[in-house]
């Protein structure tokens, strides 16, 4: 038996279609950090889904999307103990500073978007290959490999790419973006 997974769209939006024809869209989970600062797979309920505690999930069909905003009631220093591969990762935090660290990191083909004035510090090595877009706030890089092998776009006057880490892919600056 062979199984496959294909990226597809339908009236529900973007998602994955498997070899049985089942279409699965990613769940969008919002970081709460109420238990602790651990981002793991299927274990710690540091996330919210429709307002209820939830664990981050990955499956053969579709991985969750991760959102980090100002609604977190707990930790914003997040430790990745093993690699995670979110469908997409979105930071829309305006008042909270988030930090990603640990030995795990973000992997896979998902995108990373930083759009809040609160900022993001990446202090771990990542291997993801999706695009990185800074639409607001500051994305501060720690070690080499913080952005994997991704193209980075810094969009406007409220967007900054900073830190000491190297960027392996191309960097595009739009009018007013800062490095």
């Amino acid at each position: 038996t062979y199984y496959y997974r294909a990226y597809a769209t339908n009236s529900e939006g973007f998602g994955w279609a498997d070899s049985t024809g089942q279409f699965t869209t990613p769940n969008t989970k919002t970081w709460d950090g109420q238990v602790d600062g651990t981002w793991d797979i299927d274990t710690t309920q540091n996330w919210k889904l429709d307002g209820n505690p939830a664990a981050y999930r990955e499956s053969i069909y579709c991985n969750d999307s991760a959102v980090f905003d100002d609604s977190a009631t707990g930790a914003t220093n997040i430790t990745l103990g093993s690699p995670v591969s979110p469908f997409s990762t979105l930071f829309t935090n305006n008042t909270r500073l988030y930090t990603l660290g640990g030995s795990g990191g973000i992997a896979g083909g998902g995108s990373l978007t930083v759009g809040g004035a609160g900022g993001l510090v990446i202090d771990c090595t990542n291997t993801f290959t999706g695009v990185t877009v800074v639409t607001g706030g500051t994305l501060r890089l720690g070690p080499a490999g913080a952005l994997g092998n991704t193209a980075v776009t810094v969009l406007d006057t409220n967007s900054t790419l900073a830190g000491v880490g190297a960027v392996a892919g191309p960097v595009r600056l739009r009018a007013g973006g800062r490095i």
Side-chain angles (χ1 to χ4, degrees), residues 103-116:
S103 60
I106 299 174
S111 62
L112 172 67
T113 303
V114 178

Side-chain angles (χ1 to χ4, degrees), residues 21-179:
Q22 177 183 351
F23 185 80
T24 306
T25 57
N27 283 318
T28 299
K29 296 203 175 143
T30 302
W31 178 261
D32 186 56
Q34 188 172 6
V35 176
D36 59 22
T38 304
W39 181 357
D40 53 23
I41 301 169
D42 289 329
T43 305
T44 310
Q45 293 193 339
N46 273 323
W47 301 85
K48 295 279 186 177
L49 177 61
D50 298 325
N52 298 309
Y56 168 82
R57 300 203 60 207
E58 292 187 1
S59 74
I60 190 172
Y61 300 115
C62 196
N63 297 345
D64 287 340
S65 289
V67 174
F68 300 84
D69 61 17
D70 292 324
S71 68
T73 61
T76 58
N77 289 330
I78 300 164
T79 302
L80 296 109
S82 61
V84 295
S85 300
F87 186 79
S88 65
T89 306
L90 173 63
F91 288 83
T92 60
N93 49 305
N94 287 305
T95 61
R96 296 178 146 277
L97 172 65
Y98 280 92
T99 300
L100 297 179
S103 60
I106 299 174
S111 62
L112 172 67
T113 303
V114 178
L120 169 63
V121 176
I122 300 180
D123 200 19
C124 59
T125 301
N126 298 288
T127 60
F128 71 96
T129 57
V131 298
T132 296
V133 179
V134 184
T135 63
T138 298
L139 172 56
R140 185 169 302 281
L141 306 180
L147 288 181
N149 190 20
T150 178
V152 179
T153 301
V154 183
L155 286 180
D156 62 33
T157 56
N158 298 318
S159 307
T160 303
L161 179 63
V164 296
V167 177
V171 175
R172 281 180 255 168
L173 270 179
R174 298 282 169 94
R178 296 180 299 256
I179 294 184

Side-chain angles (χ1 to χ4, degrees), residues 1-19:
T1 303
Y2 294 96
Y3 296 96
Y4 66 86
R5 180 172 79 166
Y7 188 65
T9 62
N10 72 3
S11 61
E12 298 174 47
F14 294 102
W16 300 101
D18 67 17
S19 57

